Each structure stands twice: as structure tokens, then as C-alpha cells.
Amino acid sequence: QSSGSSGINAEYGDNCRKLADAFTDIGCQPVWPDGGYFMLVDTSPMGWDFTQENTGRCYDVDCVKWLTREFKLATIPISVFYGDKNRHLAAEYIRVCCAKSDATIDRACQIIRSLKRA
């Protein structure tokens, strides 16, 4: 069963919509998928700064580690899918899975909304 022409299962399309709304509410910019179970999110509007951690890793890797460690929100860095030369192109994007239970998606949305800057 598909959600319009997007090629996303209707249930996962609803999940993507919920997550997209939550990220939009805090100022991030979701990139709506044409298919599959993942959505990209541009986190650059948040202004999160991980330079003090001095890890030498790409921003998105530090970002997803922080989200997991501090908020128990598991996301996936995008830059790891790029070679060294082009890694910067995806440095402020994270990947979010929409193929989760309603309870997990609802909890994730609560966590995401708690990240809103005052």
C-alpha cells in the first residue's frame, strides 16, 4: 500500500510526516523522501556546535552521537556515505528512519520538539 506517488508504505509515510513536522517545528529542514524508509534532515539552522569536543570527526557524526548519548534519539550520519573529498556536502544532514512503531515515532517527536531553541 503506497502513500500517494511517493512509493512509501502508508504507515511509514505517516511516520515520516510526523517526524518532518517535529523537525520543522524546531527549525530544521526535512528532505522528504521519494521512497524508502529514511528521511534526511538539514540540522544547520539549529546552530549546534560540536567543535569544543575536538574529535576531528565530521559535524554530523558528532551530532548523531550527541543526540544518542544525551537524548536517546538514534539517527544516522550521512557523511560516512561520502569519500573524504566530498564529505563536507553532507556534513550537516542526519538520516532518520521512518520504519518504526507508532510509540517509537511519537517518543522521537517528543524528544525532537524538546530540542527547540528558546
Side-chain angles (χ1 to χ4, degrees):
Q1 185 171 342
S2 125
S3 171
S5 62
S6 68
I8 299 175
N9 173 292
E11 176 185 353
Y12 299 147
D14 289 344
N15 288 349
C16 281
R17 194 168 297 101
K18 288 180 187 178
L19 289 166
D21 288 347
F23 277 110
T24 299
D25 287 350
I26 68 166
C28 289
Q29 298 174 0
V31 179
W32 193 259
D34 286 333
Y37 306 112
F38 295 93
M39 174 180 18
L40 299 184
V41 178
D42 179 359
T43 63
S44 62
M46 295 308 294
W48 293 326
D49 182 11
F50 304 105
T51 55
Q52 75 281 359
E53 295 189 24
N54 235 359
T55 64
R57 296 183 298 231
C58 206
Y59 169 92
D60 65 324
V61 175
D62 286 334
C63 181
V64 301
K65 287 183 178 291
W66 173 72
L67 289 170
T68 302
R69 182 181 64 243
E70 299 296 327
F71 303 99
K72 307 296 185 237
L73 182 66
T75 58
I76 304 160
I78 299 300
S79 67
V80 298
F81 295 102
Y82 287 74
D84 291 339
K85 183 177 169 184
N86 293 315
R87 193 162 279 144
H88 68 282
L89 298 172
E92 292 184 325
Y93 286 85
I94 59 174
R95 189 176 186 205
V96 180
C97 183
C98 301
K100 300 289 180 180
S101 71
D102 286 343
T104 299
I105 294 295
D106 292 343
R107 179 66 185 128
C109 290
Q110 290 175 340
I111 294 168
I112 293 162
R113 287 187 173 100
S114 78
L115 301 172
K116 187 171 186 169
R117 293 189 288 181

